[in-house]
Amino acid sequence: CNGLPSSLKPRAPAMTGSPNRPKNREPVLILGGGLIGLAIAHQLARRGRCVQVLSRRRSEAAGFVAAGMLAPHAEGLSGNLLALAQTSLERIPAWVAQIEADSALACGLRPCGIVVPFRSSAERDAYPTAAWGEPLGRAALEREIAGIGPSWRAGLLFSQDGQIDNRRQLMRALERACVALGVGFQEGAEVLAIECGGGGALAAIRLRTAAGEQQRLPCAEAVLACGAWSAQLLPQLPVFPLKGQMLSLQAPRQALKRVIFGPGTYLVPRADGLLVVGATSEPEAGFSEGLTPAGQRQLQEGLEALLPEAAGWPPMERWWGFRPCTPDQGPLLGESGIRGLWLATGHHRNGVLLAAITAELVAGEICGSAKAEDRALLEPWGWGRFQS
């Protein structure tokens, strides 16, 4: 079926031990080889499931282009999204330890803290997550961020927030961990359609291989983790691309110890001195590829306002990517209206932060091992919330 049948409504999660649940030897297909897809594949493989990842081009995935901030408080999240993100932040160290043990590679996790600067103390105190941060005046702000721009008069330090080197370390470690656990990969495989069988159940995936051959893969369970491209397979899903441009500079080592999360621009210092600068938000761009002068100028102006001396540091790389967004900026997780098809998409700008909890929740549902508290976390993020 090209899209969700209009007659189907979101179903209650299948109970553990359901007679309709496929046996463990039957493979779960992961549609999308980005961070979310790999994280779910890894968790399923750890639970003894056979898994195959279908990926058109992993380099285009949002996990490769994000800055890797772990910032539920610095982002100013609220409500159910804050609760989901805080739980993920708590579980990330154990999740990373699993990946590092399975891959024998470091993931680049750094609990370095994040500073959010403000132009006034009143602006600082009105921030949605101010209660979770340490308030800073101008003098304290300068102690945390030497050389911060003169227009910033106050700040919040969220010492519990941090970062992970998703581009250079986490993605590579996840790939190796999946391979070590027997996960299969088809790179260059473009998923063309999702087929339904009788009773609205998933029947097969149609794809085009890297060699251009069209194939039909029968399957009973799959996870849609195609990021910004998810609605191309299920048009009823309210997922759309939000383009972002970024750049990196080579800073002196230890020049910046905290992440700076400014309005419209953030600076993320890696351990080796690389400074990631992001990111534009371009909803009008659609899937238009490439850098633009306006986008790069916006990043440069934001950099100069936050940390003027950084404007003189040598540039290293410039890139762009597409965030998968929904109207309420929350993810789409759990069962779809097609029995056997699970959703893990729409993470907006919080995909790296939410990868740990997404993988655990979705894998737990598929395997029938989800705890009650995890199901409560999952409940607000079904696609049915967008249906009138």
Side-chain angles (χ1 to χ4, degrees):
C1 56
N2 292 317
L4 299 173
S6 58
S7 61
L8 291 177
K9 300 297 182 183
R11 304 182 299 110
M15 298 302 292
T16 302
S18 166
N20 295 324
R21 188 175 299 282
K23 296 178 181 179
N24 285 359
R25 69 175 182 272
E26 297 183 12
V28 180
L29 299 185
I30 308 296
L31 313 184
L35 174 59
I36 298 298
L38 290 177
I40 295 171
H42 176 243
Q43 287 300 310
L44 286 171
R46 281 187 135 253
R47 288 162 168 78
R49 294 302 304 264
C50 177
V51 185
Q52 187 170 27
V53 176
L54 307 179
S55 177
R56 181 176 63 181
R57 192 171 65 223
R58 268 178 280 168
S59 61
E60 72 183 3
F64 274 115
V65 299
M69 286 187 297
L70 308 174
H73 308 99
E75 289 266 10
L77 303 182
S78 60
N80 289 328
L81 186 56
L82 177 60
L84 184 71
Q86 286 175 323
T87 303
S88 195
L89 183 66
E90 292 170 0
R91 299 186 189 185
I92 281 172
W95 176 65
V96 166
Q98 287 182 348
I99 298 168
E100 292 181 339
D102 292 339
S103 67
L105 292 174
C107 292
L109 178 63
R110 295 186 69 204
C112 59
I114 299 181
V115 170
V116 182
F118 300 92
R119 291 183 172 83
S120 70
S121 57
E123 189 179 309
R124 175 197 66 198
D125 297 342
Y127 203 61
T129 50
W132 280 273
E134 176 186 341
L136 307 174
R138 176 64 195 186
L141 188 60
E142 290 176 344
R143 287 194 295 270
E144 294 293 340
I145 308 293
I148 192 167
S151 63
W152 311 104
R153 310 306 302 171
L156 286 168
L157 169 60
F158 296 105
S159 57
Q160 66 273 57
D161 290 2
Q163 60 161 297
I164 192 166
D165 195 341
N166 53 295
R167 294 191 80 208
R168 300 183 300 173
Q169 294 183 268
L170 175 61
M171 291 290 285
R172 185 163 59 107
L174 257 178
E175 289 173 358
R176 184 173 294 185
C178 285
V179 170
L181 293 173
V183 173
F185 287 85
Q186 279 200 52
E187 182 70 12
E190 181 178 2
V191 178
L192 302 176
I194 295 167
E195 293 186 4
C196 294
L202 179 65
I205 300 298
R206 287 197 290 111
L207 59 85
R208 181 186 295 113
T209 69
E213 176 188 359
Q214 291 201 21
Q215 294 182 351
R216 182 181 184 273
L217 297 181
C219 67
E221 285 189 310
V223 179
L224 179 61
C226 293
W229 293 265
S230 296
Q232 294 180 0
L233 291 173
L234 296 182
Q236 289 89 335
L237 295 181
V239 178
F240 56 91
L242 181 63
K243 182 179 178 180
Q245 300 181 48
M246 304 179 71
L247 60 86
S248 64
L249 309 171
Q250 186 58 52
R253 191 179 292 269
Q254 299 299 312
L256 185 61
K257 296 181 180 180
R258 307 279 197 192
V259 173
I260 310 177
F261 188 88
T265 308
Y266 47 77
L267 311 182
V268 184
R270 303 298 193 212
D272 61 359
L274 189 76
L275 183 68
V276 178
V277 182
T280 64
S281 292
E282 305 168 46
E284 73 288 346
F287 283 109
S288 175
E289 297 188 354
L291 302 170
T292 65
Q296 294 298 298
R297 185 164 55 251
Q298 177 185 327
L299 293 175
Q300 188 66 29
E301 291 172 353
L303 171 68
E304 292 172 357
L306 286 173
L307 198 65
E309 67 174 307
W313 294 342
M316 298 297 292
E317 190 180 0
R318 301 176 190 270
W319 66 95
W320 73 92
F322 303 100
R323 309 175 187 93
C325 298
T326 64
D328 64 4
Q329 300 184 4
L332 284 164
L333 304 176
E335 291 193 348
S336 71
I338 299 174
R339 188 167 70 252
L341 180 67
W342 305 82
L343 302 177
T345 186
H347 290 78
H348 191 52
R349 56 187 293 150
N350 295 303
V352 178
L353 169 62
L354 295 176
I357 194 65
T358 294
E360 191 166 344
L361 295 181
V362 174
E365 284 293 302
I366 293 174
C367 296
S369 59
K371 299 176 182 178
E373 57 267 32
D374 284 350
R375 286 192 166 179
L377 280 172
L378 186 65
E379 184 177 3
W381 308 113
W383 71 276
R385 72 186 190 271
F386 295 114
Q387 291 194 324
S388 56

